[in-house]
Amino acid sequence: MKHLPSATLVLLFAATALSGARGPETASRFVDAANGYSIEPPAFPKAPAGLACQTAAFLAPPEDGFAPNVNIQIQGGANSLEEFITASRAQFKEYGLNLLSEEKRKVSGKEAVAFDYEGDVQGTPLRFAALAVGVGGRVILVTATTPKESFGRHEKAIRACLGSLQLEKR
């Protein structure tokens, strides 16, 4: 057997140890074909019950100082999707947001709701499209936000993104 430099052995052992560290939570990769890279998301723990936790965010290049984006949150505390819907409607009203549409649907067989709304946030006119799914006393919430004037340019991609949400069997 050929003698390997010690630095090579350390790297080889580290790579071998890490190669077995992947669990089912990280068995897929995020691929950004537009920018030419892919990455495996970290195997962070499940969001604790009762807390809101952002688990992913996707940002487009900024437009007039605002980056259109899609973020995914896990929101605890709502005992049902209906409670989440009621609380969301109250927040829209509280923050002066105009609810354009609300539609019940199913995601992987679970009850879900899609909201479209708009309004000024810190002086910026924004448009939102959101999809919320109730799962075991928590809500998985995917929200897309764009400048109001450019929503039409992004709408097809946003609708495809929201429509692609699936729940994984656990």
Side-chain angles (χ1 to χ4, degrees):
M1 183 170 151
K2 192 165 137 183
H3 179 68
L4 296 172
S6 59
T8 304
L9 286 174
V10 169
L11 288 174
L12 179 63
F13 287 129
T16 302
L18 290 175
S19 69
R22 283 181 52 190
E25 301 87 10
T26 62
S28 63
R29 296 185 66 78
F30 167 72
V31 177
D32 183 341
N35 291 301
Y37 72 91
S38 69
I39 189 167
E40 184 174 313
F44 288 136
K46 181 179 177 179
L51 288 178
C53 176
Q54 183 168 314
T55 60
F58 304 97
L59 287 82
E63 299 173 1
D64 296 324
F66 185 88
N69 64 80
V70 173
N71 69 72
I72 304 162
Q73 293 183 2
I74 308 301
Q75 295 196 352
N79 290 323
S80 70
L81 184 64
E82 288 305 319
E83 285 183 22
F84 174 82
I85 292 169
T86 299
S88 295
R89 289 178 189 147
Q91 287 179 341
F92 297 150
K93 196 173 280 190
E94 178 183 351
Y95 294 110
L97 300 171
N98 181 29
L99 180 59
L100 303 172
S101 69
E102 176 181 320
E103 176 190 331
K104 295 274 185 90
R105 56 177 71 167
K106 297 250 186 201
V107 171
S108 299
K110 299 285 186 183
E111 295 297 320
V113 64
F115 291 118
D116 274 49
Y117 54 104
E118 63 186 15
D120 287 0
V121 177
Q122 297 179 340
T124 302
L126 298 175
R127 174 78 188 267
F128 305 86
L131 179 62
V133 185
V135 181
R138 300 170 352 140
V139 171
I140 298 172
L141 174 63
V142 183
T143 306
T145 309
T146 69
K148 185 176 176 180
E149 65 190 37
S150 67
F151 182 79
R153 284 198 314 269
H154 301 289
E155 184 172 13
K156 184 176 179 181
I158 286 169
R159 301 284 180 214
C161 176
L162 295 178
S164 73
L165 179 64
Q166 295 180 2
L167 302 178
E168 297 298 314
K169 296 189 192 281
R170 301 193 111 211

